[in-house]
Amino acid sequence: MQVLDTYQYSADHEWVTATGDMARVGITDYAQDSLGDVVYIELPDVGTTLAAGAEFGVVESVKASSELYLPAGGTVIAVNEEVKERTDLVNTDPFGAGWMLKRSEEHTSELQSPMYLVCRL
């Protein structure tokens, strides 16, 4: 399993990495491996504001369906439309091309909260 030092990870196996005034969010390599081949992804609309811990989407695979939870609150500023069409990107590149959304950095203090981000692997 791949783990990147510059990313933070939630107990629900989502990751977040912040750069400048935005953060990218996706699922971990462990999560995609556990799910198996991803066949469908549901993501929020751009402009949606979500609190930390809020459900932001669903990933369905040949094995299971799993809800996605936002590790830290913010407004969705971009959704990876390509990953919705090419769901295999979540399996082949979960930390790169398989990202799910970008959110604003208006809640940066939540990235330090053990309630939502429990570990740096």
Side-chain angles (χ1 to χ4, degrees), residues 11-65:
D12 297 310
H13 299 287
E14 286 85 10
W15 57 259
V16 61
T17 184
T19 52
D21 61 351
M22 70 90 185
R24 285 186 313 133
V25 177
I27 65 171
T28 65
D29 192 25
Y30 175 83
Q32 70 77 23
D33 185 60
S34 296
L35 284 167
D37 292 337
V38 174
V39 296
Y40 174 77
I41 299 173
E42 179 182 310
L43 297 171
D45 294 328
V46 171
T48 303
T49 299
L50 299 165
E55 184 178 320
F56 74 84
V58 175
V59 172
E60 292 182 11
S61 73
V62 294
K63 292 182 182 179
S65 178

Side-chain angles (χ1 to χ4, degrees), residues 9 27 48 50 60 74-75 79 83 86-87 90 103 108 110 113 118:
Y9 302 89
I27 65 171
T48 303
L50 299 165
E60 292 182 11
T75 301
V79 172
V83 82
R86 293 196 47 220
T87 56
V90 172
R103 65 160 186 78
T108 55
E110 290 174 356
S113 172
V118 296

Side-chain angles (χ1 to χ4, degrees), residues 71-87:
T75 301
V76 177
I77 58 174
V79 172
N80 189 348
E81 295 295 336
E82 184 176 13
V83 82
K84 289 168 45 177
E85 298 297 320
R86 293 196 47 220
T87 56

Side-chain angles (χ1 to χ4, degrees), residues 74-119:
T75 301
V76 177
I77 58 174
V79 172
N80 189 348
E81 295 295 336
E82 184 176 13
V83 82
K84 289 168 45 177
E85 298 297 320
R86 293 196 47 220
T87 56
D88 63 298
L89 292 173
V90 172
N91 295 113
T92 60
D93 192 12
F95 295 111
W99 64 274
M100 307 266 176
L101 64 83
K102 293 180 182 178
R103 65 160 186 78
S104 62
E105 275 294 271
E106 61 218 40
H107 299 284
T108 55
S109 63
E110 290 174 356
L111 292 176
Q112 309 308 318
S113 172
M115 183 177 215
Y116 297 109
L117 292 169
V118 296
C119 59

